Amino acid sequence: MDFKEQIAKQLSKSVNMDFNSIYEMIEVPKDYKMGDYALPCFKLSRVLKSAPDKIAKELSQNIDKGEYIEKVEQLNGYLNFFLDREKFTLSVLEEIQSKNEAYGSSNEGNGKTICIDYSSINIAKPFHIGHLLTTVIGNALYNIYSFLGYKCVSINHLGDWGTQFGKLIYAYKHWGSKQSVEKGGVNELTRLYVKFHDCAKEDESLEDEARAWFKKIEEKDEEAIELFSWFKEITLKEVSRVYDILGIKFDSYAGESFYNDKMQTVIDELREKNLLELSQGAYVVNLDEYKLPPCLILKKDGATLYSTRDLAAAFYRKKEYNFYKCLYVVAYQQNLHFKQWFKVVEKLGYDWAKDLEHVAFGMVSLEDGTLSTRKGKVVLLEDVLNKAIEKTKQIIEEKNPDISNKEKVSSQVGVGAVIFNALLNNRIKDMVFSWDRALNFDGETGPYVQYTHARCNSVIKKAGEIKQKGDYYSLDNDEAFIVLKMLYSFPRTVAEAKEKNEPSLITRYSVDLSQAFNKYYYEHRIIDEDEKGTANRVLLTKCVKTVIKTALKLIGIEAPDQM
């Protein structure tokens, strides 16, 4: 039941305004004592040519409250609506009971495909903490869109092309060995890469050597391709360990190299439509009409760039998946890059340019500065996750040593803590990685929400099978009503998270719901000799458990039944 919709319908009978305008005006007061919904009458004063407080007073006296409104009050220029708590309570509980873990889902996305490009790790480079945000934001969006009925395609657009591979081959042949790389994996490849840059500072000719090796890769030289493929295999094997820990899978690992033979078609079309212009020896698409710098398509030497490959990838994805939307979960540093090539698609005359969306997020840095692979200054994501799991295990040993599935719960809580910490704030905010914060389980954290879920499970288990039908009176208190309003708002929160591509809305919601339930838990005994009262209080607990589990699942976190 959309109670806001019901109120808007009643108001539209009394006010000469269309339903949608009134619906948009209705808001939820921050203090529930001021009502469950409110209509600010300030905008109406222009339409009705009367003072806001006078309009509110007249409406409060004349409006038909309908079935679900208990009372309507005027306060200054506001018209405040108070729901019939009993009807509201029964409506919410019945809805969650009937839908269970599908509560909050919808079929709005039926027949629509969403491509989500995220994580996009670089071959032969460490999977470090800087990849955390793109990986967990992208995965959460995949879950949210899927929950709303969309068919999602997760794409790991590998960074597997460029002169850096020429550098790596040169470094391997001069300072590495097969044995050392097989033993050290990506760490050894990183050491070689860093050594190349250190040596290139002293000897610039090394850059020419690197370019020569990369040219061999482009020309399909047997030795160059063999080494390039080996580096790729080693990297994917290592990063798959991290993805397994995070519980993340990809539908496609088509990276930059995949589009090498697909770029020429795009370049040819740009030429045919007279969009390519010669500029200082390079070919660009002029974007003056959009007040943007030109988009570079081909360098002076004829080499392609990120823009060329991204254009080829977009056309391939449109043809392959016929996407409804294609999301790019990439840091805001690339804002200009995406604006430019999105406009190139538009200039080519394709209306699906509007369906390309850059989901920007803040940068991740260390407390003592930025991350840099060239300088070997990184914190490996696998190390962060393993340390979080280890810390969780120590806490469980201290507080609940007899718990079953100790290893599994340690992993669920430790990994959950890292993901939750990354998704707690608005995605556009920069994140300074701190070991203390990532491994802190107090306050607004994943372990706090997971513990609330486990607490609910414990109450339900203790209550056993309840055959008695509950009565409303046992939930007729402010603490229960606040929990019920939180439960009611879950579908709207999921929809808003999708609209804004903002998983933090669900992360924050899970904290708010947990806090509301824990307050209720401390204020009211759930299981007592009153069987009817117990029945409804346990039912409320079951609904909270269900919604917390779903919320955590949407952001990529498991909900253990015991902690």
Side-chain angles (χ1 to χ4, degrees), residues 311-430:
L311 283 164
F315 279 93
Y316 173 83
R317 291 169 189 175
K318 186 62 182 175
K319 184 179 178 183
E320 182 73 12
Y321 306 112
N322 191 26
F323 56 74
Y324 172 74
K325 268 188 187 178
C326 188
L327 308 180
Y328 296 82
V329 186
V330 182
Y332 66 65
Q333 280 189 330
Q334 299 297 322
N335 280 357
L336 177 60
H337 166 74
F338 284 102
K339 281 179 184 175
Q340 286 176 305
W341 77 259
F342 286 178
K343 287 301 181 186
V344 172
V345 177
E346 189 179 312
K347 286 195 76 164
L348 279 165
Y350 294 98
D351 61 353
W352 51 265
K354 68 183 186 309
D355 306 324
L356 303 169
E357 192 168 341
H358 177 205
V359 180
F361 60 85
M363 297 299 294
V364 180
S365 62
L366 304 178
E367 288 178 295
D368 60 349
T370 57
L371 299 158
S372 172
T373 308
R374 290 185 180 190
K375 296 176 183 175
K377 189 179 177 184
V378 293
V379 173
L380 299 181
L381 186 50
E382 188 172 11
D383 288 348
V384 174
L385 295 170
N386 286 333
K387 283 192 180 183
I389 293 168
E390 190 56 41
K391 179 178 179 181
T392 306
K393 203 179 294 180
Q394 290 168 6
I395 294 171
I396 288 173
E397 290 287 358
E398 290 169 18
K399 297 189 175 181
N400 194 2
D402 299 325
I403 191 174
S404 58
N405 297 322
K406 200 178 295 181
E407 296 291 327
K408 184 180 180 183
V409 173
S410 297
S411 179
Q412 289 174 326
V413 177
V415 172
V418 176
I419 295 173
F420 200 93
N421 180 57
L423 293 178
L424 185 59
N425 294 314
N426 187 294
R427 61 178 161 79
I428 209 65
K429 286 184 72 174
D430 285 341

Side-chain angles (χ1 to χ4, degrees), residues 486-515:
M486 284 297 307
L487 291 171
Y488 173 72
S489 70
F490 181 62
R492 187 176 70 245
T493 303
V494 176
E496 190 180 351
K498 186 269 295 183
E499 285 300 320
K500 296 179 177 177
N501 290 319
E502 186 54 83
S504 70
L505 292 173
I506 295 174
T507 315
R508 285 278 170 194
Y509 170 89
S510 70
V511 172
D512 293 341
L513 175 58
S514 298
Q515 289 174 338

